[in-house]
Amino acid sequence: MMDIPAYETDNIFARIIRGEIPNTTVYEDEDVLSFMDLFPQSEGHTLVIPKKAEAVNFLDIDPNILGVLIQRTQIIATAINTALRPDGIRLIQFNGEAAGQTVFHLHFHIIPVWQNANMKPHADSSGNGQADPVTLQKLAERIKACL
Ligand code: 5GP
């Protein structure tokens, strides 16, 4: 059985919400923040997080907040589809370290997929996985234009 750890208020996404760490924002309202993944698995890899809930994962979130979060995730995924024209889209969400979760604030990954394009590894902060901020900003602008 997976234990649900206590929410750590200094996790990287909590710090992004508080504005302590910059992000490349795609969408924001009072409940939800969406921004480009800094170590993208594909071009356009985007994250969607709740702003108010201190939830470490899917099992830990108020269902009403989850409802808003997944509705916004659909809107953002649709904009990514229109803006970037991928062949497919993966919607991914990891629960627990054993499952591959590395940041313990609930989030959905929206990962555009192109046939014949290699997918980079998950959460690869080891070396050359970090995206160029200018490239991320250009992608975010293209997605925002389709929201
Ligand atoms: P998890 O492994 O928890 O499902 O996903 C965490 C995601 O956050 C990974 O895809 C990783 O690349 C991304 N990430 C880690 N640190 C940062 C950061 O400082 N900024 C942004 N935008 N993404 C991050």
Side-chain angles (χ1 to χ4, degrees):
M1 180 178 166
M2 174 180 65
D3 288 327
I4 300 176
Y7 183 84
E8 297 279 349
T9 55
D10 269 344
N11 76 75
I12 199 105
F13 292 171
R15 298 188 66 201
I16 284 174
I17 291 167
R18 291 198 295 269
E20 295 168 9
I21 294 176
N23 75 90
T24 310
T25 301
V26 170
Y27 174 89
E28 183 166 17
D29 62 27
E30 62 177 337
D31 299 310
V32 172
L33 176 65
S34 177
F35 53 93
M36 306 307 296
D37 196 297
L38 192 55
F39 308 95
Q41 290 191 252
S42 72
E43 188 176 66
H45 183 168
T46 302
L47 301 169
V48 191
I49 68 174
K51 279 169 65 176
K52 291 177 187 157
E54 295 192 343
V56 293
N57 65 30
F58 188 74
L59 307 188
D60 193 30
I61 184 91
D62 179 315
N64 293 314
I65 298 175
L66 178 62
V68 173
L69 186 66
I70 199 69
Q71 287 177 37
R72 299 295 185 277
T73 301
Q74 186 191 42
I75 289 168
I76 296 156
T78 300
I80 289 171
N81 193 38
T82 306
L84 306 184
R85 301 271 165 200
D87 298 314
I89 296 175
R90 289 186 186 164
L91 182 63
I92 303 179
Q93 190 274 317
F94 299 84
N95 299 285
E97 206 170 345
Q101 185 176 9
T102 58
V103 177
F104 293 87
H105 178 112
L106 172 65
H107 52 282
F108 287 103
H109 297 258
I110 304 171
I111 306 181
V113 178
W114 286 267
Q115 280 164 6
N116 308 321
N118 287 332
M119 189 75 70
K120 289 190 185 156
H122 169 68
D124 181 15
S125 56
S126 61
N128 57 5
Q130 184 163 335
D132 165 43
V134 175
T135 303
L136 289 186
Q137 190 60 50
K138 285 182 182 163
L139 283 163
E141 294 304 331
R142 287 171 64 193
I143 297 165
K144 279 195 273 190
C146 293
L147 279 167

